[in-house]
Amino acid sequence: MAYELFYWPGIQGRGEFVRLVLEEAGEDYADVARGPGGVDAMMAALKEGPTPAFAPPFLRAGGMTIGQTAAILMFLGERHGLAPQDTAGRLWTHQLQLTVADLVAEAHDTHHPLGAGLYYEDQKEEARRRAAQFTAERIPKFLNYFGHVLGEQDFLLGAQLTYADLSLFQVLEGLDYAFPNALVRTLAEHPNLAAFRQRIATRPRLAAYLSSPRRLPFNEEGIFRRYPELDT
Amino acid sequence: MAYELFYWPGIQGRGEFVRLVLEEAGEDYADVARGPGGVDAMMAALKEGPTPAFAPPFLRAGGMTIGQTAAILMFLGERHGLAPQDTAGRLWTHQLQLTVADLVAEAHDTHHPLGAGLYYEDQKEEARRRAAQFTAERIPKFLNYFGHVLGEQDFLLGAQLTYADLSLFQVLEGLDYAFPNALVRTLAEHPNLAAFRQRIATRPRLAAYLSSPRRLPFNEEGIFRRYPELDT
């Protein structure tokens, strides 16, 4: 099946979690808003159909429109061998994904603690205070958790790669871009997570994707932003 | 099956979304941290087993431990007739639930924009700025979306009640507690949502639950807090 992914064209953002699954699965997809129709095509599609998404990203697959990153990943992962088939395994994968999503949301809020309706420049001092907690307490707490779950296994569930692994990888990449000092400190206590990150990055399909022009660079419009003043 | 729910004893919080599903389904459950073992029993259980949760709420069901509110609801809803059985319907329900969860997270952040590690009293001015955006822009945007999805139907999916309806109901209750002025303004434009709220509240099992001592009152320790200075 050819998929249509709808997401903002200039950033990795939440769309990147979907891209990583599609790339690892080797599935064909159109990144619609990066194509000729641009954002207008995306905004038109956002309102269409009986299951409209609240916001990008959303995915068209056959007759379905699926919004919300974690729901898209559950659908794609279970369909393309990136999730277990049994109930307990499916729920565990999804639980891990939703915990990654909580970390993503907190990473975003470091630069927009007063809300996305104001510019970063209008909330820099507040961002500094929020980021100080994030780097000192929240990154360690989340990565302690994932490091504990990973243990000595290759992937979070054990031998089987799942969509939650790809999402955790993406968060580690993002934290390395936005908070390199904080990440180095935390990963020093979790060599298994550092090895995990390398294990994912060198998978043939992902490595090809990450070095392709399809992989947008991180930048200061996305979720993970490099503001050195926030990485203490 | 008798379920064990683990959540902080003094607040509705995210545990309440689970309680509403269990109550509507008429399922027996133990609210463990409100029982004799208290929070200690919960914190001990949090670390146990092969699928530990990052944080409460989590649910024990037979041999499984399931964390993350939306994953718990998906499991319970699909098992007890509060979700469709087909893939498209299951994904649509979950998409709606995750959008409700985004609104819940934003409601929480109104009183803790600088992070949960500081007291409200230490971030009152920042809370005022964040809440101003929330009441002016975010509540209307989310409720416009849900009002559009609901349309003239009884429930979000149409004739069938799902766990996403119960969660939307809980958010409307919470917003009415925390931001009554803002909610009245927004619901005036969405009489279908006001009717929906009443439709859920008067379901026999839910009405019995809501008037029972099992339903904790809203308070200023939970997600939805009544700070009149934030409800402009």
Side-chain angles (χ1 to χ4, degrees), chain A residues 24 82 155 161 166 198-208:
Chain A
E24 173 61 27
L82 291 167
F155 305 113
L161 179 76
L166 300 177
Q198 200 57 24
R199 191 175 300 127
I200 301 281
T202 54
R203 293 180 68 84
R205 284 176 174 163
L206 273 204

Side-chain angles (χ1 to χ4, degrees), chain B residues 35 41 55 65 72-73 75 87 99 102 172 175 182 193:
Chain B
T65 301
I72 300 169
L73 297 191
F75 167 72
T87 298
T99 306
D102 286 345
L172 293 171
L175 292 175
L193 284 176

